[in-house]
Amino acid sequence: MTEQFDVTTTEHVIVPGERAAYTAVFDEKVRADAREVIDRYPDPRSALLPLLHLVQSVQGHVTNEGIEFCAEQLALATAEVSAVATFYTMYKRNPCGQHLVSVCTNTLCAAMGGDEVYKRLGDHLGVGHEETAGTPGEQGSITLEHAECLAACDLAPVLQINYEYYDNQDSTTALELVRALQRGEKPPPTRGAPLTDFRDVERQLAGFFDGPGAEAAENASAAAPETVRGARVADEHGWTAPAMPDHAELPPRPDDK
Ligand code: FES
């Protein structure tokens, strides 16, 4: 689909002869889903983040057509939608594989072997950051990316596949995971919901729990025993944090000193 996207005027024009293809992708079902998402919010523009996930569930990434779709649904300028879609790393501007493998290479994971994990997977797949091995969307295709801290430092090094956690990895176990994905298998995550495909998870992130694995995802607990151990010990001993005072003396502001 050929498009012209002019950020200076915020006009995004799908060539008239190709309007039919655009309408076929964002059909009545997708439009009904979009209306359901929008109805959850008092102000329609608040629905932009889940709508972008809905677009990714349909097309596997945020296309220019997807940006126009969101803009139309929310009465926003395409430049406004584009600004959001290019700010957050969970919105992909290039076609994503069946699976998205995110390797944490932030400080703690990197020190614990995350860099080695990322390098081994990159060498095996022959791709770099945000590149895809295989044909995007087809079975066994894998997009690899560096990830910033995945909030599981106590289980470092960690990686995620379609945002499900695989804790305490090393380069050998991570390579086994990726090989399993390439064989069409769905290795179970360490915790949380069962593994599905990138597009299925995007639909869940849009708030629709009607696809493969969705019921289990809705009821899954992602808390690792290591992470909640402190809270459990405190519970067993009856320890609680001191109550917050009704009135707390605040330190003086710098210019009041
Ligand atoms: S540094 Fe990897 S999860 Fe925090």
Side-chain angles (χ1 to χ4, degrees):
M1 188 177 289
T2 305
E3 297 175 47
Q4 298 146 9
F5 184 52
D6 183 346
V7 293
T8 59
T9 62
T10 73
E11 288 296 323
H12 178 208
V13 180
I14 293 175
V15 173
E18 295 178 339
R19 174 61 62 174
Y22 169 79
T23 308
V25 173
F26 296 103
D27 60 12
E28 203 35 59
K29 163 88 171 73
V30 180
R31 286 167 189 275
D33 287 344
R35 281 194 295 276
E36 189 177 326
V37 173
I38 293 165
D39 285 348
R40 293 180 199 145
Y41 299 91
D43 186 345
R45 65 186 295 138
S46 302
L48 178 55
L49 298 184
L51 267 200
L52 286 166
H53 285 300
L54 182 66
V55 164
Q56 294 200 127
S57 77
V58 174
Q59 293 197 295
H61 67 300
V62 179
T63 60
N64 282 354
E65 305 97 79
I67 286 174
E68 176 149 324
F69 174 72
C70 293
E72 276 180 4
Q73 300 300 309
L74 303 173
L76 294 172
T78 51
E80 291 177 289
V81 178
S82 185
V84 172
T86 53
F87 181 81
Y88 294 107
T89 56
M90 284 179 83
Y91 300 120
K92 307 300 179 192
R93 296 310 313 275
N94 292 308
C96 213
Q98 179 191 14
H99 298 295
L100 172 67
V101 175
S102 315
V103 180
C104 179
T105 51
N106 213 290
T107 312
L108 186 56
C109 282
M112 298 288 284
D115 282 344
E116 198 186 327
V117 169
Y118 180 83
K119 181 171 184 326
R120 186 125 187 228
L121 297 188
D123 288 348
H124 171 71
L125 295 168
V127 298
H129 178 60
E130 290 189 337
E131 292 178 352
T132 300
T135 304
E138 288 194 1
Q139 179 153 322
S141 57
I142 293 173
T143 300
L144 180 67
E145 69 176 3
H146 279 287
E148 297 301 329
C149 180
L150 294 171
C153 310
D154 47 344
L155 305 160
V158 297
L159 63 81
Q160 290 180 332
I161 303 174
N162 307 331
Y163 307 117
E164 301 302 341
Y165 280 101
Y166 294 81
D167 303 326
N168 295 312
Q169 293 296 303
D170 59 38
S171 61
T172 304
T173 56
L175 184 59
E176 268 316 300
L177 283 173
V178 163
R179 285 194 168 129
L181 298 177
Q182 290 179 303
R183 291 193 297 268
E185 298 168 14
K186 299 242 168 83
T190 312
R191 54 200 162 95
L195 184 64
T196 57
D197 293 352
F198 176 73
R199 290 193 190 200
D200 296 328
V201 167
E202 287 301 310
R203 187 161 172 79
Q204 292 171 17
L205 289 170
F208 294 98
F209 288 83
D210 53 8
E215 196 179 326
E218 222 175 359
N219 300 316
S221 167
E226 294 89 336
T227 308
V228 295
R229 186 166 294 147
R232 293 239 164 88
V233 169
D235 202 34
E236 283 162 18
H237 289 77
W239 299 336
T240 55
M244 287 288 287
D246 291 336
H247 177 73
E249 201 61 43
L250 297 175
R253 292 183 304 182
D255 50 2
D256 290 345
K257 281 182 182 172

